[in-house]
Amino acid sequence: LAGTVPEEGRCTVERVDASLTYSLFLQRYGRPLTRGGVPGREPAFRALCTREKLLAAFGACPVRLSTANTYSYRKVDVPFQEYVEQLLKPQDPARLGSDTLYFFGDNNFTEWGPLFQQYVPPPFRIPGTSPAYSFGIAGSGSGVPFHWHGPGFSEVIFGRKRWFLYPPDKTPHFHPNETTLAWLHHTYPTLPPAERPLECTLRPGEVLYFPDRWWHATLNLDTSVFISTFLG
């Protein structure tokens, strides 16, 4: 089931191209935006994110896993190699998010610093904010159910990642311990067209901008490697 999760029928998040200027971004940063893959973007960083390179560089390092539910109640520390070789699997449709461990951003910035130093983030900033990186790897069908926080960018390095977004004044119907995969199969089909979220699937090299306090849920359609730049 997890390996056959489809992309959305049509991306409903506004798409921009590499010609987007900073002044236009500042006019639009109150709503989600996606940017298509830019040819040649981040080849050096992508080369560092293969399974072999990451295991060689960080295999012995502990990583902090969070439960894949809205509030991420539980944290578990395991060696990165153990996560990749034993826990990086497709999402079990029967498991709750509170029972699913997910690596999506609790990075030790001292240990992972050499990797982050090679990343060139999206070029735009919101005045008064500074960037912080969050790196993650997850199996097909995994993801985080609806939640919100401050603004930022998310880029896919390998795989595909499907996003669902609602504005701050439109709280989605979901259970915080239900996985995004279960929500997609059980709740999403019952939503009238007017109540469906904005959605889009990111492919390698594509970037999504999520505004401040917008509800969003994610679903990895493949085993995915991704990095977010939070603007705090």
Side-chain angles (χ1 to χ4, degrees), residues 21-31:
T21 64
Y22 182 51
S23 60
L24 283 176
F25 170 75
L26 291 178
Q27 294 175 29
R28 302 183 186 184
Y29 75 82
R31 61 183 187 269

Side-chain angles (χ1 to χ4, degrees), residues 56-163:
F58 304 105
C61 295
V63 292
R64 177 155 291 179
L65 311 180
S66 301
T67 49
N69 56 348
T70 295
Y71 304 112
S72 299
Y73 300 104
R74 187 163 61 97
K75 309 284 186 180
V76 176
D77 293 336
V78 301
F80 179 65
Q81 184 166 349
E82 179 180 334
Y83 174 71
V84 171
E85 295 180 349
Q86 299 182 29
L87 300 175
L88 186 58
K89 298 176 181 179
Q91 176 70 47
D92 181 345
R95 290 180 72 88
L96 293 174
S98 51
D99 295 326
T100 302
L101 293 174
Y102 188 49
F103 176 48
F104 67 110
D106 274 329
N107 306 114
N108 180 308
F109 284 83
T110 299
E111 293 174 338
W112 290 81
L115 180 67
F116 295 151
Q117 289 169 11
Q118 300 300 314
Y119 179 63
V120 179
F124 303 132
R125 293 286 177 271
I126 296 174
T129 68
S130 58
Y133 297 136
S134 172
F135 181 77
I137 305 172
S140 63
S142 65
V144 182
F146 282 104
H147 62 288
W148 59 265
H149 44 63
F153 298 96
S154 183
E155 179 169 358
V156 170
I157 309 302
F158 289 105
R160 295 170 300 155
K161 194 177 190 78
R162 187 171 171 181
W163 283 72

Side-chain angles (χ1 to χ4, degrees), residues 69-71 145-147 171-178 183 187 215:
N69 56 348
T70 295
Y71 304 112
F146 282 104
H147 62 288
T171 303
H173 176 67
F174 71 102
H175 189 287
N177 283 339
E178 183 182 45
W183 175 87
T187 302
W215 290 95

Side-chain angles (χ1 to χ4, degrees), residues 203-225:
R203 297 166 185 82
E206 295 185 331
V207 178
L208 180 138
Y209 167 72
F210 48 87
D212 188 29
R213 297 176 183 265
W214 271 64
W215 290 95
H216 56 279
T218 60
L219 183 67
N220 297 294
L221 305 188
D222 313 295
T223 298
S224 300
V225 180

